[in-house]
Structure formats: C-alpha cells, structure tokens
Amino acid sequence: RRQINRLTNQRRVDSAPRVGITRQLRWVRIGSRVGVADDGIDLLDTPGLLPMRQEDQFAAQKLAMCNTIGEASYLPSVVAEEMIRLINITQGERFLSKLGERYKVDPPKSRESVHVFMTEVAEKTFKSDVELVGRRILLDYQNGRFGPISLEEPPPSATAASATAADAHEAAAAATEQPLLGDEDDDELLGGGGNDDKGRGSGDDDADDHGSSRPNA
C-alpha cells in the first residue's frame, strides 16, 4: 500500500504497520495522462488473506513477531520470548548484547534464562508487567531497533543453487577478461585457428510485483 502511495505521489490508500487497515477492494489508476482515455495502469489494493486456523504454531508465532496477525490472538510475552530464542540461534552474542544495551539488563545466557530476562526488564522499567515488556520487544524488532534481522534462512537447496549461480557468474566474468585482439598476431592469440567468432550475451530479468493489475478496457 505504501508502494501505491509512492507511485501516485498521493495518499490514495490507507497504510499503517498493523493488521486490519484495508477492509475492501480498491482500484487505483497510475500513469494516466490528462485528456487521454484508457491510459495508465490499474492497481488493485486488497486486504491480506490468512487461514482462519494456523496448524503450524511455530509459523503462527513468526507471523505474530512480524505483526501480521492481531494481538488478541497471542500473548506478547510468550511470542517475544520465542523470538529472542529464535534470533539468538542465528545472531548470537551480537543480538544479545543489543538486548542488554537497550533494556539495561544483563542479557540471557541460555534458552532457559530468557524468561528471567523478561521478568527483570519488567521489574526495572514496566512495573512488573511482563506483557508490556513483550509488546515493547516485539515493537522494537518490528521498527528495526535491533538492526536488519531475518526470522528464516533459505533452505540448503536454495543456498547451493545460489552458490552454483555465483560460480557460473564468476566464470563468465573471468572469460570476458581475456586479451582482446590488437597489435599481437591473430593466429597466435587464437591458437593458430581462424575462427574469430566470440559472440557472447547475457541477460538478467528481475521483476518486483507489488500489486495486482488488470488490462484497461
């Protein structure tokens, strides 16, 4: 929705970092010229769609960490504790030190001590309300207070595919760095052959679709 507003340079649709803002379908036209009929592109803003019941509770917790489901569906303290444990697996001491610096309490040293950490922060700053601590930690994560952190990593197969693509790219780049024909003898550079066909091409197509579109009538 923010992308739609940026494209139109106007506040055409409501946008906020919480669920339930968009409640109905809305078409927005961009790129139209004054006096030209059937010009421009139509974008459709729709409400987010989630299953009524989340069978995978771990996936549901991640949605809560990202503020994708309503707060009435979970306890902030429980989700915040699980988020600390989850991020600690990938970030380690760097993340724990940021926790300690921000809330002025010694960071947790183990999975079991996360609840103790939450309780100490509550007693120090939030009048012993551990749910307020959970909301604050989740909000700080959502606002990027701990830096750019991903809750998931690509599967090993995707990582291997990326590495293979990177190797291929490096090989192609190295091939383009071979000497060009100049003052040196052509036959010597070509190994005595007469084939000078060195055509080469590559292409990259990257599309980022931020909305649905429909053809103009």
Side-chain angles (χ1 to χ4, degrees), residues 63-97:
L63 292 174
M65 296 170 195
C66 297
N67 196 29
T68 307
I69 59 178
E71 191 175 303
S73 304
Y74 61 89
L75 288 175
S77 61
V78 174
V79 174
E81 286 185 23
E82 190 56 39
M83 186 189 74
I84 293 174
R85 297 186 182 102
L86 175 62
I87 297 177
N88 183 40
I89 296 174
T90 57
Q91 298 290 318
E93 286 296 329
R94 184 174 63 174
F95 172 66
L96 295 181
S97 62

Side-chain angles (χ1 to χ4, degrees), residues 25 31 34 38 47 62 70-71 119 122 128 162 170 173 186 192 206 216:
L25 303 179
V34 177
D38 298 330
K62 291 180 181 178
E71 191 175 303
T119 303
S128 299
S162 298
E170 290 179 1
D186 292 358
D206 185 12
N216 295 321

Side-chain angles (χ1 to χ4, degrees), residues 86-154:
L86 175 62
I87 297 177
N88 183 40
I89 296 174
T90 57
Q91 298 290 318
E93 286 296 329
R94 184 174 63 174
F95 172 66
L96 295 181
S97 62
K98 289 181 180 180
L99 278 178
E101 292 172 2
R102 181 155 186 82
Y103 305 114
K104 311 302 180 185
V105 172
D106 292 338
K109 301 299 183 182
S110 64
R111 291 178 58 88
E112 293 73 19
S113 62
V114 173
H115 181 72
V116 176
F117 167 78
M118 298 275 293
T119 303
E120 290 178 353
V121 175
E123 293 174 350
K124 183 179 180 64
T125 311
F126 294 91
K127 299 180 179 179
S128 299
D129 191 335
V130 74
E131 296 306 323
L132 285 179
V133 176
R135 291 190 188 96
R136 173 57 61 85
I137 292 177
L138 292 174
L139 185 61
D140 285 346
Y141 166 74
Q142 294 156 9
N143 291 333
R145 302 294 186 186
F146 306 124
I149 297 175
S150 175
L151 297 176
E152 294 182 345
E153 294 182 345

